[in-house]
Amino acid sequence: MLALALLGGLLPWLGAFTGSAKGGRMTTAYQNDRLNAQLLQAAEGGDLNRVQVLLKAGASAVAADRNGRTALTWAAKGDHVAVARVLVAAGADPDPQDTEGNNALLVTGETGSVAMLREILKARPDLTRTNRFGGTALIPAADRGHLPYVRELLRTSNINVNHVNNLGWTALLEAVILGDGGPTHTEIVRELLAHGADRNIADRGGVTPLQHARQRGYAGMVRLLADSAGRP
């Protein structure tokens, strides 16, 4: 009876303790969510000092918003290189993709930022990840004329130069089809060929890069592609 009486006296205290513990966990979770949200906002805005403070306060370098966009992807979109450097050093993962199919590396293929590319490569990204069009980072860079970026990516990584996207195009085909035939896109064709681009991979209609270049009257590209094929 005495034992039961003692236990009865302890139950309210135990209940209060348990409720307090649960409340503490909920408070901690709320604080973490708040810190992570602030980190994402700071990364988007390029606020380096704020990012550093939030990481020290417990914000997660791998946090993502409701669309799956990480702080590192936000930094890449804004070309906030210093912010990306801090996030990578804190363990940010470059691979998670948002609802638009973007991640930090794929964004750099669109922006053409060599400085950002160098920071992202330090995190050892998955070079096979593809965007919403099924293309690697190299493909949009080639069609948009980001020559320095194309050179850096080909020089410093083992990205597949002959990857075919959902349209049935390689980076070489895109440089010809979507390029303007000018000096920059012509040099991109040269770089791609120098790094193993296969001139014989045709589009879904069976048209090769050389044939596309001839149809468009891109004389410089024609010379490069014809020379690569062993023809004058």
Side-chain angles (χ1 to χ4, degrees):
M1 293 296 292
L2 179 61
L4 288 175
L6 289 172
L7 181 59
L10 287 173
L11 283 176
W13 180 84
L14 289 171
F17 178 80
T18 303
S20 176
K22 288 181 179 179
R25 286 195 296 271
M26 290 177 64
T27 300
T28 300
Y30 171 76
Q31 290 174 340
N32 289 342
D33 288 344
R34 182 168 54 84
L35 289 172
N36 290 342
Q38 291 175 352
L39 177 67
L40 291 163
Q41 185 177 40
E44 180 184 8
D47 190 338
L48 176 60
N49 291 336
R50 186 67 174 152
V51 167
Q52 292 173 318
V53 168
L54 289 165
L55 287 171
K56 288 179 181 178
S60 173
V62 298
D65 62 22
R66 67 181 62 185
N67 293 315
R69 185 167 296 166
T70 65
L72 187 57
T73 300
W74 275 121
K77 286 180 72 65
D79 199 27
H80 304 308
V81 178
V83 170
R85 185 178 301 120
V86 168
L87 289 168
V88 169
D93 186 347
D95 293 333
Q97 293 174 256
D98 60 25
T99 54
E100 295 179 355
N102 284 322
N103 66 15
L105 177 63
L106 293 170
V107 165
T108 65
E110 297 179 359
T111 66
S113 173
V114 173
M116 182 61 72
L117 170 65
R118 289 170 178 162
E119 297 304 325
I120 301 303
L121 288 178
K122 292 176 184 176
R124 303 195 177 196
D126 180 356
L127 299 172
T128 68
R129 293 291 179 107
T130 58
N131 59 26
R132 62 189 181 280
F133 301 112
T136 62
L138 179 63
I139 293 181
D143 79 56
R144 295 181 185 206
H146 296 320
L147 176 58
Y149 180 97
V150 169
R151 283 176 171 160
E152 184 73 10
L153 185 59
L154 291 173
R155 182 182 69 83
T156 60
S157 76
N158 61 348
I159 197 163
N160 180 9
V161 72
N162 290 311
H163 175 82
V164 179
N165 67 12
N166 294 342
L167 299 174
W169 294 347
T170 60
L172 184 58
L173 278 165
E174 290 226 359
V176 177
I177 296 171
L178 299 180
D180 59 8
T184 297
H185 281 98
T186 300
E187 283 303 306
I188 287 176
V189 167
R190 189 192 304 276
E191 289 290 331
L192 292 169
L193 291 170
H195 286 84
D198 188 346
R199 66 186 181 276
N200 295 314
I201 298 178
D203 63 19
R204 289 175 179 170
V207 182
T208 66
L210 177 57
Q211 290 170 327
H212 276 292
R214 282 177 171 157
Q215 290 171 5
R216 289 163 172 75
Y218 295 163
M221 290 184 179
V222 168
R223 284 193 295 271
L224 286 173
L225 292 162
D227 286 344
S228 297
R231 294 187 291 272

